[in-house]
Amino acid sequence: MGGKEAMLAVRDLTVASDGKSGGNAAVRGLSFDVRPGEIHLVLGERATGKTRLLETIAGLRAPERGAVTVEGEGAGADRRGGGGEGGTPAKARRRRTAIIPRETPVRHLKVIERLLLHATPRAAKLGISWKRGREEAAALAARVGLESLLDVSCEALRPVERRLIEIAGSIRQKPAALLLDEPTSKLGPHEARHFLATLHSVARAEGIPVVIATTWPRDAYPEGSAVTILWRDAEPATVSTAECTEGALVERWTGGLDIQLIPSGPHVAGDPLVRAQGLILKGRGRETSLAGLDFEVGSGEVLAVVGAPADGLDLLHDVLIGNRRPDSGSILFLGKEIAHSPRRLRVESGMTFVNPPIARDQSVEGFTVEENMILGQTHAPPFARRGSLRPESIRGNCLRALQDFEITGATPRTLLRDLGLGQRQRVIVAREVIHNPRLLVVRSPGQGLSLEEQEYVRRTLILQCERGSGLLWLTEEPEEGMRVADRMAVLTAGRLVWIPVTETLTREGIIAEMSGAAA
Amino acid sequence: MTLPGRARAGRRELFANALTLLVLIAGTHAVAVGALDWNPSRWTAPWSGDVVLVAAGLVFLGLAFLVPLHAGMINLGIHAEFLAGYSVGALIVRGRVFGPAGEAGLGLVAGALAGALVGVVISVLRRKFAVHEILSGLLLGSVFVPIARAISVERVTPPALSIDLPALTQPLRWVPGVGLAPNVVLGWGILLLTFSLVAAVMFANFLRTSVSGFEVRATGSNPLAAGAVGTDVEGIHRSMMALGGAFAGLTGALQLWTSPAVALERWPFPLGFAGIAVAFLGLGSLRGAAIVAIILAAWLNTPYVGTVLANPSYGAAAAALLLLPALWVLPRTFPDFGAPRSIWRTRHRD
């Protein structure tokens, strides 16, 4: 990495674990350089310490050991680091770096207000000079191609637009380094590409080094220059994207695990379970509306719907789980209209749901594993009778599930929050499949998990399909759709485009459909 | 038997609370002996029947805060419910329709219902108009203060409770200030304390063993997850606020039985909020609240406490000590996810 002097240098950095079981692992002895305009990725599953690492680089958290230098500014030992040598002091790093968290912090402001948030142009040192502010904000927004959205509320923006506005707002502070925590986690692959390309062009123009924490190997290509791989408690490794293809990166990430990618299907559809006709629902803000969806899922088959969350995938999921009612159209489940029925009725008629592992609405972290295993299933035997819980049945069910679903290191009395994310998702999947539901509505069930855990979750759900359940699998990941689908549709511009599942189907082909390029 | 607690407190919090209580009790004693020239030798009766009655009231008030807390609701309307119970009970006494004995019992029932109604109003305001229960509770409390003051109250004598203990037929010389017959103080006190403790144990059992209790705990821990599996989150909030309000209203109506000299009225801040101090000092658990209620009742009945708390400076210091545990216990009672967001918001939205 000769040539220009690195603007961001991390040397022998050690970040302690948070000490909780199921919590973040430690990062040990990490070193890398990021030159101006380069994007460096930190790749790791959830709870491997990525966010803590970014916070440490930004000076918000003291490292156990090591040093971070920003803009080649060695200013003695890192006083907060206690032992670091030659790094930029934490206080200076806090001032000179911009960190963008996973959840966008400002949502209720207009875009123009967000862009002017940190340095509002003043009029006579008292009021706000809106004329000058609008000009400045328009120039900033133009850097990310969103100058037409100045008067739109941030809440109404699509996720990718919200992310880009955060970038534009950050560069106004002229940071010496830009740090982003999982910026693509709520984006479809085509949106992620657009976001990373825009970010790269801005970083190059401004000469800012960028560090991105991510769970997606795909984010490294084609914009990333190098990738640091975090793998649980192992030593981190840094590879250059010029020397390592995406496949090789995944192999390196999961090296030695020998994950068996068991092919799914093909399955033959049985009796129709659910039939949606003419589903229409207006999107929130700039989200794409559902413009009349028709689909059917039969027993024993997997229908995968691939799309970006803001292209209608979130809306379709909301309609299926009963969070929102469609403006028009019908959903017949086993011959009954359920489009306007509450979630409980859907569950009672044999429909269950598995959401992404980080979804907050599918488990209670403060409950034990056995309590989470009966959540939503206490209105009928075997777990309750005449209004009272039946502890023996609950305990027996949990013990069986822990064994059958290989949830190691947990007992029925273990609190869910003490388990890792993958183990927690196994508990959820176990709860949802153990009673042979007629239809499983699955939404990105492996998001953020290690490839090993993702594969386990997929395999378990596909096995349920082979037992006769129908699976409606919603995902933003083309590869996931390809892995599981018997039939596949791409959600684009609020409509379904059906794609034949053949051996010639490629990720690029699906992404082209998602972005509308195929048309 | 493990009684469920809402707070996820550990040994450090337990130690801090014990220390707070110790400072409170020892500090009051030191002030009495030092600054107020209290002679400890005059303290001949550390225990009185009044302790029992006061402890019963404190346990009820603790329940009034803890019951909604288990469903994730901060019942700062506890004082409004307390005053509503007092006011409605007083109105019944003023009516003079049922005779003293009937009025005493009916006043309690009506007071409990009035408190429950205020609890329901608070939860409806939250659901329909997104008014947070903390705000509506405090506002309603301020509304009920003048109402309660406007209703002139005469003490009502509850029906004599026959307890087959010869000692109780004699006047108890160490409770002259209470102004109640000893059998009333001790007999009804024991009955009410027993009732409050049984209510606490029954509620704990309800939480632990029943399907509805499981739903209450799920709602309190993660309303999003509870709602997603079909639990009627709003219904649970409403019913738990009603139950908590009933306990607060009952305690309010109970004040009609006693004269202003009763120990509970020595409390250094608005009486209804005593439930919050009891709940936090008891680390959010029902068992802890019951123990703390009895300790505080004994403390309030020490002869010098009234004098110490009547001094504004010492009263303010005691109030601060009583509410201090909120600093470390309150954050531990929040729901699982995004505590600051979920507890302060009225409509959960991702």
Side-chain angles (χ1 to χ4, degrees), chain A residues 103 107-108 155 186 284 343-344 360-367 371-372 374-376 378-379 384-385 387-389 417 431, chain B residues 8 207-212 214-215 217-219 221-222 224-232 336-338 341 345 349-350:
Chain A
E103 296 289 334
R107 305 191 86 167
H108 299 289
E155 197 164 30
K186 289 184 179 170
R284 295 157 289 206
R343 186 160 169 173
R344 170 173 273 177
R360 297 184 307 200
D361 64 353
Q362 60 176 353
S363 60
V364 180
E365 288 188 0
F367 274 15
E371 286 173 327
N372 272 287
I374 61 164
L375 206 59
T378 50
H379 287 274
R385 183 180 287 170
S388 293
L389 297 173
R417 76 162 76 92
R431 180 183 76 204
Chain B
R8 296 182 282 268
L207 287 177
R208 209 184 58 251
T209 63
S210 73
V211 171
S212 304
F214 181 74
E215 290 182 342
R217 287 195 290 129
T219 301
S221 292
N222 186 341
L224 284 177
V229 296
T231 303
D232 178 8
D336 282 344
F337 63 87
R341 282 206 306 213
R345 280 190 182 176
R349 186 166 177 215
D350 191 6

Side-chain angles (χ1 to χ4, degrees), chain B residues 81-347:
Chain B
E81 294 152 359
F82 173 88
L83 291 177
Y86 176 83
S87 305
V88 171
L91 282 175
I92 285 178
V93 172
R94 287 186 77 184
R96 302 217 177 279
V97 176
F98 303 100
E103 283 159 5
L106 197 62
L108 282 192
V109 174
L113 288 175
L117 187 62
V118 173
V120 170
V121 167
I122 290 170
S123 61
V124 169
L125 284 174
R126 175 185 162 111
R127 183 168 59 89
K128 294 274 186 194
F129 305 105
V131 181
H132 200 281
E133 70 268 21
I134 292 179
L135 180 64
S136 57
L138 291 173
L139 287 176
L140 280 169
S142 62
V143 166
F144 272 102
V145 168
I147 295 174
R149 281 186 185 155
I151 303 170
S152 64
V153 187
E154 290 178 28
R155 184 161 54 81
V156 59
T157 308
L161 190 67
S162 171
I163 296 180
D164 193 18
L165 290 173
L168 294 181
T169 60
Q170 300 299 317
L172 302 177
R173 59 188 166 79
W174 27 266
V175 283
V178 176
L180 291 177
N183 62 338
V184 171
V185 174
L186 199 52
W188 276 102
I190 287 172
L191 187 69
L192 285 168
L193 181 61
T194 307
F195 175 61
S196 66
L197 292 174
V198 167
V201 172
M202 281 178 67
F203 183 68
N205 204 44
F206 160 80
L207 287 177
R208 209 184 58 251
T209 63
S210 73
V211 171
S212 304
F214 181 74
E215 290 182 342
V216 169
R217 287 195 290 129
T219 301
S221 292
N222 186 341
L224 284 177
V229 296
T231 303
D232 178 8
V233 171
E234 298 299 341
I236 284 178
H237 282 161
R238 197 165 50 242
S239 54
M240 290 300 108
M241 281 299 285
L243 187 57
F247 284 126
L250 180 72
T251 320
L254 198 57
Q255 304 312 300
L256 294 166
W257 290 15
T258 59
S259 73
V262 74
L264 195 51
E265 298 198 358
R266 294 172 187 159
W267 199 259
F269 47 82
L271 195 50
F273 294 121
I276 299 174
V278 169
F280 287 151
L281 278 165
L283 285 175
S285 86
L286 295 161
R287 177 168 43 193
I291 292 168
V292 166
I294 291 167
I295 292 172
L296 287 179
W299 169 69
L300 285 167
N301 275 274
T302 49
Y304 50 75
V305 165
T307 316
V308 173
L309 295 183
N311 182 307
S313 306
Y314 299 133
L321 273 174
L322 283 163
L323 291 176
L324 192 62
L327 287 179
W328 51 85
V329 178
L330 184 63
R332 294 173 176 278
T333 64
F334 290 142
D336 282 344
F337 63 87
R341 282 206 306 213
S342 62
I343 202 76
W344 302 118
R345 280 190 182 176
T346 51
R347 286 177 181 155

